């Protein structure tokens, strides 16, 4: 009985010994893990100077590559852009030439219309009739007798000379029957007497108006003129 108790006690003490040994084996390992964790923590902080320098170099290289690519892209696109610009200029020149041709064509058409209109026999007949009636009316309306004497002057002698030149152009009408006396003393003055004698008969005016109104050639000219844009 004593031996069996001793064996049971040994058996009971053996698990305890194994547990103690396992505890001793595991205790140092936990310390090592803690030490390893403690030594790894500083590595998770800010990057070192070498890493910062590497990052800067990589960023500068990336920017340089981007810049070079932009320059190469511009160089590659330059011939195409130049060609498009040349084509645009050529198209503009062609369009301007077309507009000039249209303008010249329009002027040519108008000149052709006027030539055909003025050389038409009916147009010539209408113009001849109007000219005949106008000359008859002028001969009838103009005075048969004209006499006078006019004296004038202006503040500026240059104006006086200009007016005298204009009046000189009327000599063929009054045949120097009106005497003009200019004054160049710098004073505004206009004096004189003019005598007119003539005749105006209303029947002559009515006759010319009726002849022009009912003339077929005149109507033809008026109709052509109204539809000249057609």
């Amino acid at each position: 009985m004593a031996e069996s108790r001793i064996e049971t006690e040994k058996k009971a003490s053996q698990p305890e010994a194994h547990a103690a040994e396992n505890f001793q084996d595991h205790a140092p390992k936990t310390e090592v893990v803690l030490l390893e964790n403690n030594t790894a923590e500083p590595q998770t902080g800010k990057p070192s100077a070498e890493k910062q320098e590497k990052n800067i170099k990589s960023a500068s290289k990336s920017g340089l590559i981007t810049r070079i690519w932009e320059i190469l892209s511009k160089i590659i696109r330059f011939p195409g852009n130049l060609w498009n610009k040349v084509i645009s200029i050529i198209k503009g020149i062609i369009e301007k030439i077309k507009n000039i041709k249209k303008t010249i064509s329009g002027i040519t058409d108008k000149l052709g219309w006027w030539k055909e209109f003025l050389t038409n026999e009916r147009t010539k007949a209408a113009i001849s009739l109007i000219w005949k009636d106008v000359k008859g009316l002028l001969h009838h309306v103009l005075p048969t007798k004209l006499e006078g004497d006019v004296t004038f002057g202006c503040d500026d002698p240059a104006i006086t000379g200009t007016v005298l030149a204009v009046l000189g152009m009327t000599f063929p009408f009054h045949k120097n029957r009106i005497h003009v006396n200019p004054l160049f003393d710098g004073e505004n003055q206009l004096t004189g007497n003019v005598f007119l004698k003539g005749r105006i008969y209303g029947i002559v005016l009515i006759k010319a108006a009726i002849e022009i109104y009912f003339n077929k050639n005149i109507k033809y000219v008026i109709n052509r003129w109204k539809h000249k844009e057609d």
Side-chain angles (χ1 to χ4, degrees), residues 93-155:
I93 294 172
I94 293 172
E95 191 66 25
K96 288 182 179 180
I97 292 172
K98 288 181 179 179
N99 293 333
I100 293 172
K101 288 178 67 177
K102 288 181 180 179
T103 303
I104 294 173
S105 177
I107 294 172
T108 304
D109 293 340
K110 288 183 178 180
L111 291 175
W113 185 90
W114 277 103
K115 182 179 179 181
E116 192 275 332
F117 175 73
L118 294 174
T119 56
N120 188 281
E121 295 298 329
R122 301 189 68 177
T123 303
K124 291 181 179 180
I127 293 173
S128 178
L129 175 64
I130 293 173
W131 179 241
K132 179 177 72 68
D133 288 343
V134 168
K135 285 196 301 183
L137 289 175
L138 289 175
H139 180 73
H140 177 72
V141 171
L142 290 177
T144 57
K145 187 175 181 181
L146 177 64
E147 293 178 356
D149 189 8
V150 177
T151 301
F152 76 97
C154 301
D155 291 336

Side-chain angles (χ1 to χ4, degrees), residues 37-48 51:
N37 291 335
N38 290 331
T39 56
E41 283 180 0
Q43 295 178 0
T44 59
K46 295 182 180 179
S48 61
K51 288 186 176 181

Side-chain angles (χ1 to χ4, degrees), residues 145-179:
K145 187 175 181 181
L146 177 64
E147 293 178 356
D149 189 8
V150 177
T151 301
F152 76 97
C154 301
D155 291 336
D156 189 354
I159 298 175
T160 303
T162 302
V163 174
L164 182 63
V166 173
L167 292 176
M169 298 171 62
T170 63
F171 284 176
F173 297 98
H174 59 77
K175 297 179 181 180
N176 204 21
R177 293 176 183 175
I178 297 178
H179 301 284

Side-chain angles (χ1 to χ4, degrees), residues 178-224:
I178 297 178
H179 301 284
V180 180
N181 302 312
L183 299 176
F184 295 95
D185 54 2
E187 294 182 1
N188 286 327
Q189 186 177 354
L190 178 61
T191 58
N193 296 311
V194 177
F195 176 74
L196 299 174
K197 183 179 179 181
R199 64 188 186 282
I200 298 176
Y201 298 109
I203 189 65
V204 176
L205 299 176
I206 294 172
K207 177 180 176 296
I210 292 174
E211 187 177 11
I212 292 173
Y213 182 79
F214 288 101
N215 187 270
K216 292 182 179 180
N217 294 325
I218 299 294
K219 290 182 178 181
Y220 169 79
V221 170
I222 294 172
N223 186 54
R224 283 290 305 274

